[in-house]
Structures are given as C-alpha cells and as structure tokens.
Amino acid sequence: MSTLAVAKKDFQDALRSKALWGLSIIFILLSLLIAYAFTEFTAMMEVEEQTAQGLAYFLASQIGLFVSITAIVIAYKAIAGERESGSIKILLSLPHTRRDVLLGKVLGRSATLAVPTLIGLVAGAALGSVLMGEFAIVSLSALLVMSLVFVVTYISIMVGISALTGSTSRASMLTIGFFLVFEILWGVVSIGIVWLTNGLSLPTEFPNWVYLVNQVPPSAAFTTGLTALMPGDIAGVGTPEFEAFYATPWVGVIMLAFWLVVPLAIGYRQFSKADL
C-alpha cells in the first residue's frame, strides 16, 4: 500500500508539468496526422494488403522519440529532486521504505506518461481505421501493449538514473547522456564495434551478430518486440534473414526486460545506501 500511496501522489504531482502537457498535445496531434497521411498514402499507392497492420507500424514510428524525451522531462528529478530539496526526508518519515519510494515513483510517472501515449495511439488508430474501413484488433492491441511496456521501461531507466545522485543537474546530464548514446549515437557505436573486431577496418558485409547489437537501444528493442507480437509479416519488418538463436524479434522483448530491471536495480542499490 505504501508503494501505491507514493505512486498516487507522484502521479498527481507529475500532471502539473506544463512541458508534459505540451508534449502530449503535440503527440496526439501527430498521431492523428500520421494516421491520416498513412491512409492517404495507401489509397494513392493502391495498397490493399495488411493496411491496418501497416497502420500500427506507422503509428509506432513516433513512439520512441516521444516516450524517451517525455520520460526524461518528467522523471529525471524523480529521486534526485527529492534529495536535493530535502523533501525525501519527509517522505521517508512516513511509513515508506526507500524501495516503496522508488517503485512508487516508477508507477506514478509511468501512469503519467501512459495516459497521453495511449490516448494518442487510440485516436490515431481510430481515425485510420475509420478512413480505411478496416480495424485490426490484434495488431492495434499489440501496439498498445508494447507501447505500455515501453513506457514503463523508459520510466524505470530514468528513475533508476535519478536514484544514482542527489543533484538534479547531474541527473539531467546522466539522463540526456543516456538518450544521446543509446538513441542517437548507437549506430556509430555499432559500426565502431565492427571496425574494432575486424582489425580496424570495415568488412564488405557486416556480421550477423550486429543484429543483436542493434537491439540494445530501448526504442529499437520496442520496434523489434512489436514485430514479435504482430500477426503475419510486413515485408520482413524486424525479421532477420539469417539463422541464429538470436535471430528472432523476441530478442527485442528480452532487451526491454533487461532495461526494465537492471538500471532500476542499480539505482536502488545506490539509493538504499545513500546518506540523505
């Protein structure tokens, strides 16, 4: 109950963020625009197969950027801000353990981000389905489920990072640094690993294990994991063309599970022994 009490208060506090509301409105409007653009494009190109499933993939294309940026905005101060202001001492003077606070922050901020994410996706799916006259319940349900998992995962990462420090400035640098490395620069990192392992030169054909390395960023894992839940296939989206034990879109789900648990566990370990 302590965890839920912290989550409820955190949810109410996070809703006051003007930046959250601004990003949410942009996301909802963008979802509607993307759905409309997709239906117009498929009609113009006379695409008849898997249009509703394609709509789900098209809507998913904007999730990574919106969720990652919004998660940083609403979660980087989750623990660091409380410690810096001293309010964490008041919170812990109530019948809450540090674990309750950490998990409550994850649940509260996840609920805050899940609301606009699901509203935007449902609105876009509804508009696209009406315009196409087709509704793919399984594909769109898979999109909603994976998006919710992605939201909780990214919030967990940001709260875990926030728990590492008692300074909001350091927390902001760490969370932005995570975003830059894993969401913006990871392609360069991937190429760099190949370059190093190939004797400081790039091969004419990249090795198969690069597929696994490319699933490390949370947004990439989300897209690949979504493919695992989707019925059928769209032109091999997310499906590698080679055989290996990791050559499956389920590797995306496994990677999301890693990001969901490990950063939060590291953050909790640091937070549990921190001198407040």
Side-chain angles (χ1 to χ4, degrees):
M1 293 302 294
S2 292
T3 298
L4 294 179
V6 173
K8 181 179 179 181
K9 181 181 182 303
D10 204 62
F11 176 74
Q12 294 170 342
D13 292 342
L15 286 178
R16 300 191 184 101
S17 172
K18 294 181 180 179
L20 169 67
W21 286 106
L23 289 170
S24 299
I25 291 172
I26 292 174
F27 176 73
I28 293 171
L29 293 176
L30 187 59
S31 293
L32 293 172
L33 178 61
I34 285 177
Y36 177 77
F38 178 80
T39 56
E40 288 295 307
F41 174 78
T42 53
M44 181 179 65
M45 299 299 293
E46 298 183 352
V47 177
E48 298 180 357
E49 296 181 357
Q50 299 179 311
T51 51
Q53 186 176 353
L55 172 63
Y57 276 112
F58 217 58
L59 288 171
S61 65
Q62 61 174 327
I63 295 294
L65 187 61
F66 169 71
V67 168
S68 57
I69 292 178
T70 309
I72 292 174
V73 170
I74 68 174
Y76 84 95
K77 289 184 178 180
I79 302 297
E82 298 269 17
R83 290 176 61 183
E84 189 173 73
S85 66
S87 59
I88 191 69
K89 296 179 181 178
I90 299 175
L91 190 59
L92 290 174
S93 68
L94 300 171
H96 305 316
T97 65
R98 298 192 188 196
R99 184 181 63 180
D100 292 333
V101 171
L102 198 69
L103 294 180
K105 292 288 185 180
V106 172
L107 291 177
R109 307 278 163 137
S110 294
T112 304
L113 181 52
V115 171
T117 301
L118 297 181
I119 289 176
L121 292 177
V122 169
L127 176 62
S129 297
V130 169
L131 293 176
M132 290 188 300
E134 178 184 356
F135 185 76
I137 182 66
V138 176
S139 296
L140 295 175
S141 295
L143 173 61
L144 295 180
V145 169
M146 281 301 300
S147 297
L148 185 58
V149 171
F150 185 52
V151 164
V152 177
T153 298
Y154 230 103
I155 290 292
S156 179
I157 295 170
M158 295 300 111
V159 172
I161 293 175
S162 182
L164 294 175
T165 177
S167 167
T168 54
S169 60
R170 284 198 295 270
S172 65
M173 288 189 293
L174 289 172
T175 52
I176 293 173
F178 177 90
F179 172 77
L180 290 176
V181 171
F182 288 101
E183 300 295 353
I184 303 298
L185 301 176
W186 191 254
V188 177
V189 174
S190 177
I191 294 175
I193 294 173
V194 174
W195 182 74
L196 287 173
T197 57
N198 195 57
L200 304 184
S201 65
L202 291 177
T204 55
E205 183 176 348
F206 277 34
N208 293 339
W209 53 260
V210 172
Y211 171 79
L212 186 60
V213 174
N214 288 338
Q215 306 312 312
V216 171
S219 60
F222 160 72
T223 303
T224 304
L226 176 62
T227 305
L229 299 184
M230 286 286 190
D233 182 40
I234 295 183
V237 174
T239 304
E241 298 179 353
F242 59 89
E243 294 185 3
F245 74 93
Y246 55 83
T248 168
W250 285 101
V251 73
V253 177
I254 296 172
M255 190 58 68
L256 281 181
F258 169 87
W259 286 120
L260 176 66
V261 174
V262 174
L264 191 64
I266 295 173
Y268 172 70
R269 184 175 182 276
Q270 183 67 23
F271 179 51
S272 64
K273 63 181 183 180
D275 184 7
L276 305 179

